[in-house]
Amino acid sequence: MTTPTFKAISGNYKISDIKVKGTVDGYGSEFCQKLNEDGSWGQDYYYLTEENTGMPTGWYKDSSAGEAVTDDDTVKEGEALSFSVGCDFQMVFAGQVNKEKPEITIPGGGFVMAGNPTPVAVKISDLIVVGEVGGYGNEFGQKLNEDGSWGQDYYYLTEENTGMPTGWYKDSSAGEPVTDEDVLLPGEALSISAESGFTLKFPSAM
């Protein structure tokens, strides 16, 4: 899961502006997928090459290159994409650094993939939650390991409901708070489950 680390000059970040660097098979094995607000999987985007498909190299909405992406195919700031790749490659994002503190809206009642939209690492402890949350451990984020397996969970708990200082913990019983080693790298994302909607604020990259 990853998200663009720079802000679009205007509007949202276009899928067509995500550049791929490196050797890819170009048959549709490299694709990404959006997650709808209700937690269901949404639109797929396939990276195809002219060498292997006969169509102009770029992003398409289907693996047969029948429908190219348009300017309406975008990701919002902090919105992450889930990638499946057949080989190693790099994605190159271009744009401007957000000089303010990025804010991501997390809808309640489902899952959302939200990532670090800045070009610097951010501590989990520096992620600020704004809004009414349950605070019992129903608001949590989970990392995805490089092999595609689910990794570390992070739970947002409140003092009102747990008796422990409000903040992020590695378990829902507030037994182990996060440390400075718990970070989101540039573009790295969490799969977030939220019982109620809230706003997730990132620190400024400037």
Side-chain angles (χ1 to χ4, degrees), residues 4 11 13 18-20 23-24 26 31 35 41 68 70 74 87 90 97 99 122 126 128 143 146 155 163-164 170 176:
Y13 205 96
I18 300 176
K19 306 304 180 185
V20 172
T23 301
V24 298
F31 72 93
L35 197 66
W41 288 108
T70 70
T74 62
C87 55
Q90 291 180 315
V97 175
K99 297 181 180 180
V122 172
D126 285 341
I128 299 173
K143 277 191 170 187
E146 288 187 1
Y155 296 85
M164 298 293 288
K170 293 183 181 180
E176 187 179 2

Coordinates of all heavy atoms in Angstrom, one line a residue, residues 4 11 13 18-20 23-24 26 31 35 41 68 70 74 87 90 97 99 122 126 128 143 146 155 163-164 170 176:
P4 N 0.9 8.8 -3.0 CA 1.8 9.9 -3.5 C 2.4 10.7 -2.3 O 1.6 11.0 -1.4 CB 0.9 10.7 -4.4 CG -0.1 9.8 -4.9 CD -0.4 8.9 -3.7
G11 N -5.9 20.3 -7.7 CA -6.8 19.1 -7.7 C -6.1 17.9 -7.0 O -5.2 18.0 -6.2
Y13 N -4.3 14.0 -7.2 CA -3.1 13.4 -7.9 C -3.7 12.4 -9.0 O -4.4 11.5 -8.6 CB -2.2 12.7 -6.9 CG -0.8 12.6 -7.5 CD1 0.2 13.6 -7.1 CD2 -0.4 11.6 -8.3 CE1 1.5 13.5 -7.5 CE2 0.9 11.5 -8.8 CZ 1.8 12.5 -8.4 OH 3.1 12.4 -8.9
I18 N 1.6 9.0 -12.1 CA 2.5 8.1 -11.4 C 3.4 7.4 -12.4 O 3.0 6.7 -13.2 CB 1.7 7.0 -10.6 CG1 0.7 7.7 -9.6 CG2 2.6 6.1 -9.9 CD1 -0.2 6.7 -8.9
K19 N 4.7 7.7 -12.3 CA 5.7 7.2 -13.2 C 6.3 5.9 -12.7 O 6.5 5.8 -11.4 CB 6.7 8.2 -13.5 CG 6.2 9.6 -13.9 CD 5.4 9.5 -15.2 CE 4.8 10.9 -15.6 NZ 3.9 10.8 -16.8
V20 N 6.6 5.0 -13.5 CA 7.2 3.7 -13.2 C 8.6 3.7 -13.7 O 8.8 3.9 -14.9 CB 6.3 2.5 -13.7 CG1 7.1 1.2 -13.5 CG2 5.0 2.5 -13.1
T23 N 12.4 -2.2 -14.7 CA 12.0 -3.2 -15.6 C 10.7 -3.9 -15.1 O 10.7 -4.5 -14.1 CB 13.0 -4.3 -15.9 OG1 14.2 -3.6 -16.3 CG2 12.6 -5.3 -16.9
V24 N 9.6 -3.8 -15.9 CA 8.4 -4.4 -15.5 C 7.9 -5.3 -16.7 O 8.4 -5.1 -17.8 CB 7.2 -3.4 -15.3 CG1 7.6 -2.5 -14.1 CG2 7.0 -2.5 -16.5
G26 N 4.9 -5.7 -17.9 CA 4.1 -4.9 -18.8 C 2.9 -5.7 -19.4 O 2.2 -5.2 -20.3
F31 N -0.3 -4.0 -11.1 CA -1.5 -3.3 -11.0 C -1.8 -2.8 -9.6 O -1.2 -3.3 -8.6 CB -2.7 -4.1 -11.5 CG -3.2 -5.2 -10.6 CD1 -4.2 -5.0 -9.7 CD2 -2.6 -6.5 -10.7 CE1 -4.6 -6.0 -8.8 CE2 -3.0 -7.5 -9.8 CZ -4.0 -7.3 -8.9
L35 N -9.6 1.3 -2.6 CA -10.5 0.8 -1.7 C -11.7 1.8 -1.5 O -11.4 3.0 -1.3 CB -9.8 0.6 -0.3 CG -10.5 -0.3 0.7 CD1 -10.6 -1.8 0.2 CD2 -9.8 -0.3 2.0
W41 N -13.4 -3.5 -2.4 CA -12.4 -3.1 -3.4 C -13.0 -2.4 -4.5 O -14.1 -2.7 -5.0 CB -11.7 -4.4 -3.9 CG -10.7 -5.0 -2.9 CD1 -10.9 -6.1 -2.2 CD2 -9.5 -4.4 -2.4 NE1 -9.9 -6.3 -1.3 CE2 -9.0 -5.3 -1.4 CE3 -8.8 -3.2 -2.7 CZ2 -7.8 -5.0 -0.7 CZ3 -7.6 -3.0 -2.0 CH2 -7.1 -3.9 -1.0
A68 N -8.0 3.4 -21.3 CA -6.9 4.1 -20.6 C -7.5 5.0 -19.5 O -8.7 5.3 -19.5 CB -6.2 5.0 -21.7
T70 N -8.1 8.3 -17.3 CA -8.4 9.7 -17.7 C -8.0 10.6 -16.6 O -7.6 10.2 -15.5 CB -9.9 9.9 -18.0 OG1 -10.6 9.8 -16.8 CG2 -10.4 8.8 -19.0
T74 N -8.1 9.6 -10.1 CA -7.2 10.3 -9.2 C -7.2 9.6 -7.8 O -8.0 8.8 -7.5 CB -7.6 11.8 -9.0 OG1 -9.0 11.8 -8.5 CG2 -7.7 12.5 -10.4
C87 N 7.3 -8.0 -10.4 CA 8.8 -7.7 -10.3 C 9.0 -6.4 -9.5 O 8.1 -5.6 -9.3 CB 9.4 -7.7 -11.6 SG 8.7 -6.5 -12.8
Q90 N 10.3 0.9 -9.2 CA 10.1 2.1 -8.4 C 9.0 3.0 -9.0 O 8.8 3.0 -10.2 CB 11.4 3.0 -8.4 CG 12.5 2.3 -7.6 CD 13.7 3.2 -7.6 OE1 14.1 3.8 -8.6 NE2 14.3 3.4 -6.4
V97 N 5.6 19.9 -2.2 CA 5.5 19.5 -0.8 C 4.4 20.3 -0.1 O 4.3 21.5 -0.3 CB 6.8 19.7 0.0 CG1 6.7 19.4 1.4 CG2 7.9 18.9 -0.7
K99 N 3.1 22.4 2.5 CA 3.7 23.2 3.5 C 2.9 23.3 4.8 O 3.3 23.7 5.8 CB 4.0 24.6 3.0 CG 5.0 24.6 1.8 CD 5.3 26.0 1.3 CE 6.3 26.1 0.2 NZ 6.5 27.4 -0.3
V122 N 7.3 9.7 9.3 CA 6.4 10.3 10.3 C 6.2 9.3 11.5 O 5.9 8.1 11.2 CB 5.0 10.7 9.8 CG1 4.1 11.1 10.9 CG2 5.2 11.8 8.8
D126 N 3.0 10.8 16.3 CA 2.8 12.2 15.9 C 1.5 12.3 15.1 O 1.1 13.4 14.7 CB 4.0 12.7 15.1 CG 5.2 13.1 15.9 OD1 5.0 13.3 17.2 OD2 6.3 13.1 15.4
I128 N -2.2 12.8 14.8 CA -3.2 13.4 15.7 C -4.6 13.0 15.2 O -4.9 13.2 14.0 CB -3.1 14.9 15.7 CG1 -1.7 15.3 16.3 CG2 -4.2 15.5 16.6 CD1 -1.4 16.8 16.2
K143 N -0.3 -2.2 9.4 CA 0.7 -2.2 8.4 C 0.6 -3.4 7.5 O 0.2 -4.5 8.0 CB 2.1 -2.0 8.9 CG 2.5 -0.6 9.3 CD 4.0 -0.5 9.6 CE 4.5 0.9 9.7 NZ 6.0 0.9 9.8
E146 N 6.2 -6.4 3.5 CA 6.7 -6.5 2.1 C 6.2 -7.7 1.4 O 6.1 -7.7 0.2 CB 8.2 -6.3 2.0 CG 8.7 -4.9 2.4 CD 10.2 -4.8 2.1 OE1 10.8 -5.8 1.7 OE2 10.7 -3.7 2.4
Y155 N -3.4 0.8 17.7 CA -4.7 1.2 18.3 C -4.7 2.5 18.9 O -3.8 2.9 19.6 CB -5.1 0.1 19.3 CG -5.3 -1.3 18.8 CD1 -4.2 -2.1 18.7 CD2 -6.5 -1.8 18.4 CE1 -4.3 -3.4 18.2 CE2 -6.7 -3.0 17.9 CZ -5.6 -3.9 17.8 OH -5.7 -5.1 17.3
G163 N -8.3 4.5 30.9 CA -7.5 4.8 32.0 C -6.0 5.1 31.7 O -5.3 5.5 32.6
M164 N -5.6 4.8 30.5 CA -4.3 5.1 30.1 C -4.2 6.4 29.3 O -5.2 6.8 28.7 CB -3.8 3.9 29.2 CG -3.7 2.6 29.9 SD -2.5 2.5 31.2 CE -1.0 2.5 30.3
K170 N 0.3 -0.5 20.7 CA 0.5 -1.6 19.8 C -0.4 -2.8 20.1 O -0.4 -3.8 19.5 CB 2.0 -2.1 20.0 CG 3.0 -1.2 19.5 CD 4.4 -1.8 19.6 CE 5.5 -0.8 19.1 NZ 6.8 -1.4 19.2
E176 N 1.2 -1.7 25.6 CA 2.5 -1.4 25.0 C 2.3 -0.1 24.1 O 1.8 -0.2 23.0 CB 3.0 -2.5 24.1 CG 4.4 -2.3 23.6 CD 5.0 -3.5 22.8 OE1 4.3 -4.5 22.6 OE2 6.1 -3.3 22.3

